[in-house]
């Protein structure tokens, strides 16, 4: 029987400690979590009422309201900052307004803490007084059980002392076990010695057994309920009831206690597993959040030297922020530290991004001023009649233009048109003076038209095999023919290349190589003429714009492919068609890049 009581006492001690830590949430706390506070002022008014309530009933609610206050405060700051930025203001100049309500919050919390400390101190004092009262009662009970000759006379007195002992509840946790053992020991000695009517004794045993079996039945039901925390709290109450029930027949004591102990062990195990599962989830969240922090901290921000590079990394950071939002809490001791680390790494990234964009704006503005100066130089030379010297000057200015970086996008087209207009004006005037060359260009145009006609005739022929040599001769004739009028250049060249594409496809010749060979021959011939230098620059600018346009088109196709589902109807054919288009565009980009290289080689 002593072993059974020791185990019972151990369980009761554990339950008392747990009950102090994990009390039922007050109904007010549950109501607060459903309450939708629209602002912090409303929350402060409500908190002012809550802190006046009994401390033990609102402990969790006060903590929740404190956290909710700072969450609302954070949301207000983020909303104000977003509005500030949307108003066209510099994010770096945003200043958080002083939170006057925070002092009110701190005052309320401090008053609450003082009341809580006073209540805790008073509880400890009362527990100490109760302990001394119980010890005094035990001393009286000890005198009774030592008076073995008059034990029957002390029955009523013993019952009164028992009731007084049971009425005193809260004592220091560390003394619960020893006090209960001493009381139970004296009680068993008393009943063993008591010379009373056996029927009365058996009746007491029977009633105590019925009450303990009812407790066992309820504990067994609790072991199957889904509410783990509720079951654990109710178990502590059942242990408290068990303590105040007298003994049962000696032959049943171990059996009934074993039944209650078994149900208690099941509930305690489920309670332990519940918190272990929470710890496991928190550990996973901690690892995931730590990994996110490490990813952002690993970014080499000094290597981000272009707008595209910053935009790419910005998308990565935003994706990591969204991933962070989906994760639950980590353990309490590291959750706030991890959030501070995460926020610090994000703030550093976006600050350096803002600095980079600010600096690049200054660089682009400086480039704009340089290009304006070149425009002024070109405009001052456009009416010159010193054809050779001015040509050399303009060519030099055009080369210098190439070395200057980008300007703000809104000025890019206008500054280029201004510059090229000045250059074109000079070369057009020069061309008028050298009009004698036009007749030759017209004759060259007629020759090239005939070459195209001959090529088309070959392409239309049914017997095209073996015509490679003839095509090559016509291509050589084309390349050997000089310039054509500028207004016809693009049109006839496009017609020529289109005809060649048909021929190359039929003759199994590589169109891109032929174009490059043909383009290279033209570049070589154009390089011999001063007049052509200006044309080369214009051609290069044109090719660069075409290259950027195709590159943007490729990116658009690649992005669109991500939205197509191969499993959807028609999805597979659309993907294949897009892949063919992307491949063709990339081949065109490669040809354009090689043409630009050829132009660079022929620029003086």
């Amino acid at each position: 029987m002593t072993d059974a009581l020791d185990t019972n006492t151990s369980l009761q001690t554990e339950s008392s400690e747990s009950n102090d830590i994990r009390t039922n949430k007050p109904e007010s706390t549950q109501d607060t979590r459903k309450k939708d506070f629209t602002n912090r002022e409303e929350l402060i008014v409500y908190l002012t009422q809550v802190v006046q309530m009994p401390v033990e009933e609102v402990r969790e609610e006060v903590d929740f309201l404190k956290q909710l206050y700072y969450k609302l405060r954070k949301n207000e700051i983020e909303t104000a900052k977003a509005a500030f930025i949307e108003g066209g203001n510099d994010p770096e100049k945003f200043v958080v307004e002083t939170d006057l309500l925070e002092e009110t919050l701190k005052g309320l919390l401090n008053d609450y803490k003082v009341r809580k400390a006073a209540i805790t101190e008073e509880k400890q004092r009362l527990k100490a007084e109760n302990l001394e009262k119980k010890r005094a009662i035990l001393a009286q009970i000890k005198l009774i059980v030592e008076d073995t000759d008059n034990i029957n006379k002390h029955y009523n007195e013993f019952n009164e002392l028992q009731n007084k002992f049971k009425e005193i509840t809260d004592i220091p946790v560390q003394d619960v076990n020893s006090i209960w053992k001493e009381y139970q020991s004296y009680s068993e000695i008393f009943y063993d010695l008591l010379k009373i009517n056996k029927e009365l004794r058996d009746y007491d045993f029977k009633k105590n057994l019925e009450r303990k079996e009812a407790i066992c039945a309820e504990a067994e039901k609790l072991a199957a309920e889904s509410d783990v925390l509720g079951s654990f709290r109710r178990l502590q109450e059942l242990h408290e009831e068990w303590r105040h029930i007298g003994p049962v027949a000696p032959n049943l004591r171990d059996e009934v206690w074993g039944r209650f102990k078994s149900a208690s062990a099941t509930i305690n195990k489920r309670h332990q597993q519940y918190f272990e599962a929470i710890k496991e989830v928190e550990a996973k969240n901690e690892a995931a959040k730590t990994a996110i922090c490490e990813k952002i901290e690993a970014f080499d921000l000094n290597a981000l030297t272009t707008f595209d590079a910053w935009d790419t990394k910005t998308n990565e950071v935003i994706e990591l922020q969204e991933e962070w939002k989906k994760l639950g809490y980590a353990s309490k001791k590291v959750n706030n530290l991890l959030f501070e680390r995460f926020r610090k790494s994000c703030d550093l990234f976006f600050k350096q991004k803002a600095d980079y964009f600010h600096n690049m704006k200054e660089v682009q503005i400086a480039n704009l001023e340089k290009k304006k100066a070149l425009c002024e130089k070109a405009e001052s030379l456009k009416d010159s009649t010193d054809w050779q010297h001015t040509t050399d000057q303009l060519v030099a200015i055009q080369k210098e233009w190439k070395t200057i970086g980008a300007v703000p996008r809104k000025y890019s087209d206008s500054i280029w048109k201004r510059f090229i207009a000045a250059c074109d004006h000079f070369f057009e005037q020069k061309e008028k003076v050298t009009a004698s060359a036009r007749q030759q260009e017209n004759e060259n145009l007629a020759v090239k038209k005939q070459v195209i006609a001959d090529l088309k005739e070959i392409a239309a022929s049914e017997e095209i095999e073996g015509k490679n040599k003839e095509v090559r001769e016509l291509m050589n004739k084309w390349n050997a023919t000089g310039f054509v009028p500028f207004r016809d250049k693009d049109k006839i060249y496009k017609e020529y290349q289109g005809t060649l594409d048909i021929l190359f496809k039929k003759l199994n010749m590589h169109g891109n190589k032929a174009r490059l060979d043909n383009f290279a021959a033209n570049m070589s011939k154009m390089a011999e003429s001063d007049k052509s230098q200006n044309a080369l620059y214009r051609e290069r600018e044109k090719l660069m714009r075409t290259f950027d346009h195709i590159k943007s088109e490729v990116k658009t196709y690649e992005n669109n492919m991500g939205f197509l589902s191969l499993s959807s109807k028609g999805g597979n054919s659309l993907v294949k068609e897009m892949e063919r288009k992307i491949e063709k565009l990339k081949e065109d980009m490669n040809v354009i890049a090689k043409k630009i290289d050829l132009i660079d080689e022929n620029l003086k």
Side-chain angles (χ1 to χ4, degrees), residues 41-58:
E41 290 79 0
E42 182 180 346
L43 187 147
I44 289 295
V45 171
Y46 184 75
L47 180 61
T48 303
Q49 301 172 359
V50 171
V51 296
Q52 300 303 319
M53 298 172 67
V55 171
E56 61 275 12
E57 295 181 7
V58 297

Side-chain angles (χ1 to χ4, degrees), residues 36 46 588:
D36 185 15
Y46 184 75
D588 292 344

Side-chain angles (χ1 to χ4, degrees), residues 13 17 124 127 131 135 171-179:
T13 302
E17 295 174 344
Q124 296 300 323
K127 287 182 178 181
L131 177 61
R135 284 175 174 167
I171 64 173
V173 174
Q174 64 271 18
D175 297 305
V176 170
N177 197 28
S178 58
I179 289 294

Side-chain angles (χ1 to χ4, degrees), residues 1 22-23 38 59 161 187 189 249 262 316 416 551 577:
M1 182 63 183
R22 303 180 184 88
T23 57
T38 58
R59 180 178 58 186
L161 290 173
S187 296
I189 294 173
S262 176
E316 291 184 31
W416 166 249
K551 182 179 179 181
E577 180 62 24

Side-chain angles (χ1 to χ4, degrees), residues 268-281:
N268 288 329
K269 184 177 181 181
R270 291 176 64 220
H271 185 260
Q272 180 181 358
Q273 291 173 342
Y274 173 81
F275 282 97
E276 286 176 351
I278 291 177
K279 288 181 180 179
E280 184 178 352
V281 172

